[in-house]
C-alpha cells in the first residue's frame, strides 16, 4: 500500500503440519535431551545470531533461572553466538542447567518442543514466526516481545505472555508466572494454546488460499475480451519463451 498498490492484499501464512508438530510424550522427549523429569524447561529454537536478540533473551532467562531453582534452559540451534551464550550462562553459575544440542530436525525437533514448559522469543526481525506456531502446535505457551511476525500469532494471557517492549523485568515476570501455575491451571493454558494453534495449520492456510482463488474465479481480466483469445495468449507465450532463450544465449 505504501508503494501505491490499491488492489486488495491477502496474507496467507505458511502453516504448520499438525501431523509433525503436536502434543506427545514429554518424558520421552526430556530423556532425549537429558532433562530432569521435574524441571521447569525454558526453551528456544532458532539460529543463534544477533538478529534473534539473544543478548536480551539470555539476560532474561538467566534472571528467571536464578529465581526458579529447578529451571533448565533448552537452546536448540547453531550460529555465531553459541559460544557467547554458553559463556554467559556459565559465568552466571548456570552452565550445568543449560542444554545446547545444536541443530536438530525431524522427530528430534518435535521432541525439543515437547520437552519445554515455555517457549521464549525476543526477535524483532521476523516476517513470520514459524517457531512460535510450531511451539503452540505442541501445546507450549510462549513468552515473547511484541513485534511484527509475533503479534499476529500471540494472544496475551491466552497462549502465553506478550511483552509490549524489551522490558527484562516484565519478561522475567511472565516466565515466573507460568512456572508458578498449578497443575490444573497449566492444563487449562495448554488447552487454550492448542486451540489457538488451529489458526496456523497447513489446512487453515490452504482454506485461506482457496478462498482467495475462489473470490477471483470468474472475474476475468479487465479490458478487451479479445485480448485473451487463444491466439493472443499463444503469441504472448511464444514471445516470452523467445526472450528467455535470448537471455540464455546471451549468458
Amino acid at each position: 500500500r505504501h508503494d501505491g498498490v490499491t488492489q486488495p492484499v491477502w496474507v496467507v501464512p505458511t502453516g504448520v503440519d499438525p501431523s509433525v508438530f503436536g502434543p506427545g510424550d514429554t518424558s520421552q522427549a526430556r530423556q532425549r535431551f537429558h532433562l530432569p523429569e521435574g524441571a521447569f524447561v525454558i526453551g528456544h529454537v532458532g539460529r543463534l545470531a544477533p538478529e534473534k536478540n539473544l543478548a536480551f533473551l539470555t539476560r532474561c532467562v538467566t534472571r528467571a533461572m536464578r529465581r526458579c531453582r529447578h529451571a533448565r534452559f533448552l537452546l536448540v540451534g547453531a550460529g555465531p553466538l553459541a559460544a557467547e551464550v554458553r559463556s554467559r550462562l556459565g559465568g552466571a553459575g548456570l552452565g550445568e542447567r543449560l542444554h545446547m544440542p545444536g541443530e536438530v530436525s525431524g522427530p528430534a525437533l518435535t521432541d525439543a518442543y515437547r520437552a519445554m514448559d515455555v517457549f521464549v522469543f525476543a526477535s524483532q526481525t521476523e516476517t513470520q514466526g514459524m517457531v512460535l506456531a510450531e511451539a503452540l502446535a505442541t501445546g507450549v505457551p510462549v513468552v515473547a516481545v511484541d513485534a511484527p511476525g509475533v503479534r499476529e500469532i500471540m494472544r496475551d494471557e491466552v497462549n502465553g505472555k506478550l511483552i509490549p517492549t524489551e522490558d527484562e523485568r516484565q519478561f522475567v515476570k511472565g516466565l515466573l508466572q507460568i512456572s508458578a501455575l498449578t497443575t490444573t491451571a497449566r492444563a487449562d493454558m495448554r488447552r487454550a494454546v492448542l486451540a489457538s494453534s488451529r489458526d496456523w495449520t497447513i489446512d487453515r492456510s490452504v482454506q485461506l488460499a482457496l478462498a482467495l482463488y475462489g473470490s477471483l474465479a470468474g472475474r476475468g481480466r479487465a479490458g478487451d475480451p479479445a485480448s485473451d483469445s487463444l491466439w493472443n495468449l499463444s503469441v504472448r507465450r511464444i514471445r516470452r519463451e523467445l526472450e528467455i532463450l535470448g537471455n540464455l544465449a546471451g549468458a
Side-chain angles (χ1 to χ4, degrees):
R1 293 192 182 102
H2 175 75
D3 291 334
V5 176
T6 58
Q7 294 294 338
V9 177
W10 288 47
V11 178
V12 180
T14 300
V16 172
D17 188 347
S19 69
V20 175
F21 296 98
D25 190 332
T26 300
S27 297
Q28 179 180 326
R30 293 195 170 189
Q31 289 175 12
R32 181 191 287 268
F33 297 102
H34 310 291
L35 290 159
E37 182 64 32
F40 176 69
V41 180
I42 303 168
H44 178 79
V45 174
R47 178 168 160 75
L48 307 185
E51 66 269 16
K52 300 300 181 181
N53 203 8
L54 284 178
F56 170 84
L57 197 67
T58 302
R59 291 195 301 270
C60 292
V61 171
T62 298
R63 290 176 61 177
M65 291 175 71
R66 281 174 170 164
R67 295 178 60 181
C68 184
R69 299 295 181 182
H70 64 293
R72 298 290 180 108
F73 188 24
L74 176 59
L75 184 60
V76 178
L81 293 187
E84 181 178 332
V85 173
R86 188 179 288 108
S87 176
R88 289 192 179 203
L89 269 293
L94 301 170
E96 293 184 356
R97 292 158 63 187
L98 171 66
H99 301 256
M100 295 179 65
E103 289 184 288
V104 299
S105 59
L109 178 58
T110 304
D111 272 349
Y113 288 113
R114 289 172 177 169
M116 300 173 189
D117 289 297
V118 62
F119 187 90
V120 290
F121 198 73
S123 174
Q124 300 285 292
T125 61
E126 302 301 310
T127 54
Q128 186 176 217
M130 289 304 297
V131 292
L132 301 179
E134 290 169 358
L136 296 178
T138 58
V140 180
V142 174
V143 175
V145 178
D146 185 21
V150 176
R151 66 178 66 103
E152 289 82 2
I153 294 177
M154 289 297 301
R155 298 178 189 171
D156 190 39
E157 300 296 338
V158 174
N159 54 18
K161 305 284 186 180
L162 185 62
I163 312 302
T165 61
E166 285 189 25
D167 185 324
E168 288 185 31
R169 186 180 65 83
Q170 289 299 320
F171 199 99
V172 173
K173 180 181 178 181
L175 280 174
L176 295 177
Q177 285 177 345
I178 292 176
S179 72
L181 290 175
T182 64
T183 302
T184 301
R186 196 180 297 272
D188 289 342
M189 175 170 272
R190 182 179 178 83
R191 281 192 289 271
V193 166
L194 289 171
S196 74
S197 73
R198 297 188 189 112
D199 290 338
W200 306 98
T201 63
I202 284 180
D203 286 346
R204 174 64 174 154
S205 297
V206 169
Q207 290 171 9
L208 289 173
L210 289 175
L212 169 59
Y213 292 133
S215 72
L216 299 174
R219 287 187 183 179
R221 292 191 180 187
D224 181 7
S227 66
D228 280 338
S229 67
L230 181 60
W231 171 257
N232 286 322
L233 289 172
S234 299
V235 169
R236 287 202 297 271
R237 180 175 180 180
I238 292 170
R239 283 176 178 168
R240 285 197 298 269
E241 290 179 351
L242 287 173
E243 288 174 1
I244 293 171
L245 288 173
N247 290 335
L248 288 173

